[in-house]
Amino acid sequence: MRVSVDLNVCQGHGVCYMTTPEIFEPREEDGQAHVVISGELPREHEDAAVLAQQSCPERAITVE
Ligand code: SF4
């Protein structure tokens, strides 16, 4: 499972990095979300990634 954020859609509300800081962090310059785990997501973070995807108000997060 991999996680990505579409920066053309992300508005930097911060729901993802406030609730799931183990996967997302804000970029200093604009507050948009950055995925801190590169490559394959560890299995223990998979449920949190799906929840973040469902919670993003802009639907900017892709989990595949
Ligand atoms: S919740 Fe969605 S819109 Fe908000 S910072 Fe995270 S990815 Fe961006």
Side-chain angles (χ1 to χ4, degrees):
M1 183 178 280
R2 290 173 183 263
V3 181
S4 60
V5 175
D6 184 345
L7 296 179
N8 293 314
V9 178
C10 174
Q11 295 297 311
H13 305 300
V15 176
C16 59
Y17 47 75
M18 285 190 284
T19 59
T20 321
E22 65 272 30
I23 301 175
F24 304 96
E25 68 180 9
R27 296 199 312 182
E28 268 185 37
E29 59 268 36
D30 54 18
Q32 286 187 306
H34 170 74
V35 179
V36 299
I37 299 172
S38 60
E40 200 71 20
L41 197 65
R43 194 168 185 81
E44 65 265 28
H45 293 327
E46 290 185 354
D47 288 349
V50 171
L51 187 60
Q53 179 188 35
Q54 294 170 345
S55 301
C56 174
E58 305 296 334
R59 303 214 178 279
I61 298 171
T62 299
V63 178
E64 54 193 352

